[in-house]
Amino acid sequence: MGPAGRQLLLGLRGLARLGTRLEASGDPELDLERTLRSQAKAVREQRIKRQMEPRGPPQRTLSRQAMEQIRFLSREAPEEWPVERLARGFQVPPDVVRRVLRSRFHPSPSRATKQDAVVAAAITGKSEGPTRKEQQRGREVFDATGNFLYRIPEASPPPLVALGPGRKARPK
């Protein structure tokens, strides 16, 4: 069966399911054509929606402690704490709660600390400290033996240098 035959078969199945929702015009070919057009439109909309979403994993919004609490509540009282109620309680979408419940991953303590820092930074809206690139920018200061002393950030003004007694100027 070729692609056209598969589409026709899918259209007929869809027509059988949508038979009560579609206005029956009496012409099965017209009804089938409407069904195929609506399916093609739905596929296009899904493709566009998928392209508009950001790539990569979603941004973390729950700390490790919150994830453990979700698992505990779901395990201890599933009737009292369904996915929708957990999502409302933790102010996240239901798919995030489902992902947490499905996952059994437990990171190392250092990785969990880093993940919690990312969550805290996302909640407060600022980064938890300079990134590696920001740390590497600037001028490094060494002592006479070549040991690293400190780094002057790029954004800070250069230090003042003495020109003589009582006179100071900025280096060029």
Side-chain angles (χ1 to χ4, degrees):
M1 179 182 291
R6 285 191 196 115
Q7 272 190 330
L8 182 62
L9 184 60
L10 288 174
L12 289 173
R13 287 181 187 161
L15 182 62
R17 281 184 297 213
L18 299 173
T20 58
R21 286 188 274 165
L22 288 176
E23 296 176 16
S25 64
D27 185 12
E29 290 179 15
L30 185 60
D31 291 340
L32 177 63
E33 186 178 330
R34 284 183 189 164
T35 304
L36 290 175
R37 265 193 256 131
S38 68
Q39 285 179 351
K41 183 178 177 183
V43 167
R44 275 194 310 272
E45 288 174 356
Q46 287 174 355
R47 187 179 305 136
I48 290 170
K49 182 180 176 183
R50 201 170 35 246
Q51 289 173 350
M52 297 301 287
E53 292 176 356
R55 298 224 182 255
Q59 184 177 10
R60 288 190 182 277
T61 53
L62 293 173
S63 65
R64 300 303 307 175
Q65 183 180 7
M67 289 181 199
E68 291 303 320
Q69 191 173 6
I70 287 173
R71 288 185 185 117
F72 174 79
L73 291 172
S74 178
R75 187 177 44 235
E76 294 300 318
E79 302 84 25
E80 190 177 338
W81 291 98
V83 172
E84 290 76 22
R85 185 169 177 200
L86 286 167
R88 278 194 315 268
F90 286 91
Q91 299 174 350
V92 294
D95 64 316
V96 171
V97 174
R98 284 188 205 99
R99 252 193 334 267
V100 167
L101 293 175
R102 222 179 15 242
S103 170
R104 299 290 174 225
F105 175 72
H106 294 284
S108 66
S110 63
R111 186 169 177 183
T113 304
K114 288 179 185 177
Q115 290 175 352
D116 285 344
V118 168
V119 171
I123 290 172
T124 60
K126 57 184 176 182
S127 66
E128 192 62 31
T131 61
R132 283 190 180 159
K133 286 185 180 181
E134 290 171 349
Q135 288 174 350
Q136 291 173 355
R137 288 189 199 136
R139 197 178 61 207
E140 295 176 346
V141 178
F142 298 91
D143 66 2
T145 59
N147 295 325
F148 176 76
L149 293 176
Y150 58 91
R151 178 175 287 118
I152 300 172
E154 193 174 307
S156 67
L160 297 173
V161 284
L163 295 176
R167 294 177 34 192
K168 294 182 180 180
R170 295 207 178 266
K172 294 183 182 178

